[in-house]
């Protein structure tokens, strides 16, 4: 399925390249022509029955229907430009206004500037928001032990997330305590690593990283990004968790947004919640997009005592909260974007990426 889509995009990209090349080469050639006869000949060479442009346009049939309008618009634009330049050259030839003089002081064509990928843009924005309230960005391994990804997070050996349908297992010898090697399926694997790094609370980390799960369809990519918050100190309770979400929602999504907590279940938190945010479109009144006014944002909860114990932190002395979010999803929710095929984010098609 993915190969096919990729192939389609590739074909369209090739045609786009050929059209642009033809335009550039023709303009260079045109600028050299000094007689009406030569200009007419170039016109025929491009747009005659067997002209290069005409032949190229015939290939439009081979491009799948979904891509055709984009290439069609480009072809029309190029044709119009070439025709205009040809008739201008004809006038210059007729009025004997051709000159070999080259203005070396004329400004050149500025090179096209790129920009950060939307996921990188979102990661920087999220990092800055959390840094303002004292969180520190941390990074933990993408190639991880089962222990940090599951066991230390209170996830039993038979938990469905540990199935090879849900996790990439690396073909390496397992370790007696750490278990097998996996590609980290969520940023929660950084929780116990952070407790070990800090030694003792206070902890206020934001871990933003790539995660991997073997899902590959229009709404999943096998590699995606999450950000994980972890706060541990004396006297941390649910009001701190709620306050952090309220702050984040207003900073990232806008002052008029509200959040709510809904009871849920995660192995590594107790109690656990799903956090919802008011829909940006109807502001919580309910609409076709969100149905009842709220959209799901992330998972969260108070860190389970077993997880604190795994990180050698005394649950009688310290409490904490944690949360986990998908970066791609958060970005799309902010922009009100509905990307039909999430794989577009990572297929490096410049026509898609340029829009952001
Ligand atoms: N790790 C969870 C996931 O990938 C998300 C999550 C839920 C993270 C609850 C948390 C949490 O820290 O408390 O679906």
């Amino acid at each position: 399925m993915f190969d096919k889509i990729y192939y389609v995009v590739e074909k369209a990209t090739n045609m786009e390249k050929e059209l642009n090349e033809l335009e550039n080469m023709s303009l260079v050639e045109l600028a050299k022509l000094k007689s009406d006869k030569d200009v007419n000949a170039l016109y025929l060479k491009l747009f005659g029955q067997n002209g290069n442009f005409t032949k190229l346009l015939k290939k439009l049939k081979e491009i799948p229907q979904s891509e055709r309008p984009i290439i069609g618009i480009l072809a029309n634009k190029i044709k119009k430009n070439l025709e205009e330049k040809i008739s201008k050259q004809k006038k210059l030839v007729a009025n004997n206004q051709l000159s070999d003089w080259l203005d070396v002081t004329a400004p050149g064509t500025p090179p096209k500037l790129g920009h950060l990928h939307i996921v990188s843009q979102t990661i920087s924005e999220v990092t800055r928001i959390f840094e303002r309230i004292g969180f520190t960005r941390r990074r933990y391994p993408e190639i991880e032990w089962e222990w940090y990804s599951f066991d230390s997070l209170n996830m039993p050996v038979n938990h469905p997330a540990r199935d090879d349908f849900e996790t990439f297992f690396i073909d390496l010898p397992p370790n007696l305590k750490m278990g097998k090697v996996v590609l980290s399926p969520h940023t929660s694997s950084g929780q116990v690593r952070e407790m070990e790094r800090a030694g003792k609370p206070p902890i206020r980390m934001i871990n933003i990283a790539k995660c991997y799960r073997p899902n590959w369809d229009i709404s999943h990519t096998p590699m995606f990004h999450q950000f994980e918050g972890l706060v541990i100190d004396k006297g941390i309770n649910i009001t701190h968790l709620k306050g952090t979400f309220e702050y984040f929602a207003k900073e990232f999504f806008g002052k008029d947004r509200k959040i709510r907590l809904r009871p849920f279940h995660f192995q590594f938190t107790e109690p656990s919640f799903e956090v919802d945010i008011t829909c940006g479109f109807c502001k919580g009144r309910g609409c076709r997009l969100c149905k009842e006014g709220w959209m799901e944002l992330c998972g969260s909860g108070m860190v389970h005592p077993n997880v604190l114990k795994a990180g050698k932190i005394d649950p009688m002395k310290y409490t904490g909260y944690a949360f986990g979010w998908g970066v791609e999803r958060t970005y799309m929710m902010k922009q009100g974007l509905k990307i039909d095929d999430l794989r577009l984010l990572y297929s490096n098609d410049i026509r898609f990426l340029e829009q952001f």
Side-chain angles (χ1 to χ4, degrees), residues 188-286:
S188 306
S189 10
Q191 287 196 15
V192 169
R193 280 203 180 263
E194 173 67 2
M195 295 178 209
E196 287 173 354
R197 187 207 58 81
K200 80 188 223 322
I203 287 174
R204 232 180 282 168
M205 80 144 185
I206 184 88
N207 168 26
I208 313 188
K210 292 193 176 86
C211 304
Y212 302 85
R213 291 183 201 172
N215 294 323
W216 193 308
D217 58 37
I218 57 168
S219 50
H220 294 92
T221 50
M223 184 277 294
F224 57 99
H225 297 77
Q226 279 190 345
F227 53 100
E228 181 92 9
L230 178 70
V231 172
I232 302 175
D233 207 344
K234 282 189 181 140
I236 295 289
N237 60 48
I238 298 174
T239 61
H240 299 119
L241 175 154
K242 206 172 170 209
T244 306
F245 290 138
E246 250 150 30
Y247 161 78
F248 178 78
K250 290 195 186 336
E251 291 292 306
F252 188 78
F253 291 99
K255 295 262 171 285
D256 54 345
R257 308 295 279 274
K258 293 195 179 65
I259 59 118
R260 74 172 179 195
L261 302 185
R262 214 169 4 90
F264 203 73
H265 169 77
F266 294 105
Q267 285 293 137
F268 28 93
T269 41
E270 184 56 42
S272 304
F273 310 98
E274 270 193 340
V275 183
D276 296 336
I277 180 167
T278 42
C279 164
F281 194 61
C282 67
K283 308 281 180 263
R285 265 174 269 120

Side-chain angles (χ1 to χ4, degrees), residues 18-239:
E18 281 181 73
L19 277 165
N20 284 326
E21 269 168 19
L22 185 64
E23 181 185 30
N24 288 341
M25 275 160 52
S26 309
L27 289 176
V28 172
E29 205 178 323
L30 179 68
K32 290 187 206 145
L33 302 182
K34 297 201 166 66
S35 75
D36 197 52
K37 198 173 122 234
D38 289 345
V39 179
N40 286 341
L42 178 68
Y43 182 87
L44 278 179
K45 197 170 130 191
L46 283 169
F47 303 117
Q49 224 171 33
N50 259 331
N52 292 339
F53 187 88
T54 319
K55 275 198 286 198
L56 196 52
L57 216 60
K58 284 186 185 145
K59 284 199 205 162
L60 204 58
K61 283 202 298 283
E62 293 166 24
I63 290 176
Q65 213 138 22
S66 59
E67 297 286 314
R68 260 182 242 167
I70 304 168
I71 302 293
I73 290 170
L74 178 73
N76 277 338
K77 210 172 97 192
I78 290 180
K79 184 166 186 216
K80 205 168 144 230
N81 184 32
L82 284 172
E83 282 177 343
E84 266 171 32
K85 297 276 161 56
I86 287 175
S87 68
K88 206 163 147 198
Q89 186 79 357
K90 270 167 90 82
K91 269 189 213 137
L92 291 177
V93 170
N95 299 335
N96 219 356
Q97 285 174 329
L98 288 176
S99 137
D100 287 334
W101 185 73
L102 173 70
D103 182 1
V104 288
T105 63
T109 322
K112 267 194 173 179
L113 284 186
H115 64 72
L116 287 180
H117 190 280
I118 28 182
V119 170
S120 307
Q121 290 177 31
T122 315
I123 290 177
S124 330
E125 193 181 345
V126 168
T127 309
R128 264 181 272 119
I129 292 177
F130 280 103
E131 276 173 354
R132 285 205 288 276
I133 51 167
F135 282 67
T136 304
R137 172 136 189 227
R138 302 266 176 234
R139 286 155 206 259
Y140 287 110
E142 286 172 33
I143 300 174
E144 188 51 288
W145 294 109
E146 262 187 304
W147 162 257
Y148 289 108
S149 300
F150 303 120
D151 305 81
S152 68
L153 296 171
N154 197 35
M155 294 170 83
V157 181
N158 59 357
H159 193 281
R162 304 181 68 153
D163 203 280
D164 57 5
F165 287 119
E166 289 298 327
T167 301
F168 283 112
F169 287 88
I170 308 275
D171 198 5
L172 278 173
N175 176 286
L176 216 54
K177 169 163 188 246
M178 299 292 178
K180 295 182 195 152
V181 182
V182 298
L183 291 186
S184 176
H186 54 181
T187 41
S188 306
S189 10
Q191 287 196 15
V192 169
R193 280 203 180 263
E194 173 67 2
M195 295 178 209
E196 287 173 354
R197 187 207 58 81
K200 80 188 223 322
I203 287 174
R204 232 180 282 168
M205 80 144 185
I206 184 88
N207 168 26
I208 313 188
K210 292 193 176 86
C211 304
Y212 302 85
R213 291 183 201 172
N215 294 323
W216 193 308
D217 58 37
I218 57 168
S219 50
H220 294 92
T221 50
M223 184 277 294
F224 57 99
H225 297 77
Q226 279 190 345
F227 53 100
E228 181 92 9
L230 178 70
V231 172
I232 302 175
D233 207 344
K234 282 189 181 140
I236 295 289
N237 60 48
I238 298 174
T239 61

Side-chain angles (χ1 to χ4, degrees), residues 195 201 232-236 270 302-320:
M195 295 178 209
I232 302 175
D233 207 344
K234 282 189 181 140
I236 295 289
E270 184 56 42
M302 300 306 292
V303 181
H304 195 289
N306 287 351
V307 179
L308 291 172
K309 276 188 219 153
K312 307 223 164 22
I313 290 180
D314 182 356
M316 299 307 280
K317 265 205 198 142
Y318 295 101
T319 48

Side-chain angles (χ1 to χ4, degrees), residues 308-339:
L308 291 172
K309 276 188 219 153
K312 307 223 164 22
I313 290 180
D314 182 356
M316 299 307 280
K317 265 205 198 142
Y318 295 101
T319 48
Y321 68 85
F323 54 85
W325 251 299
V327 174
E328 290 83 350
R329 190 179 144 71
T330 312
Y331 175 80
M332 293 202 299
M333 276 173 74
K334 176 174 180 172
Q335 303 295 332
L337 257 186
K338 253 193 148 165
I339 299 178

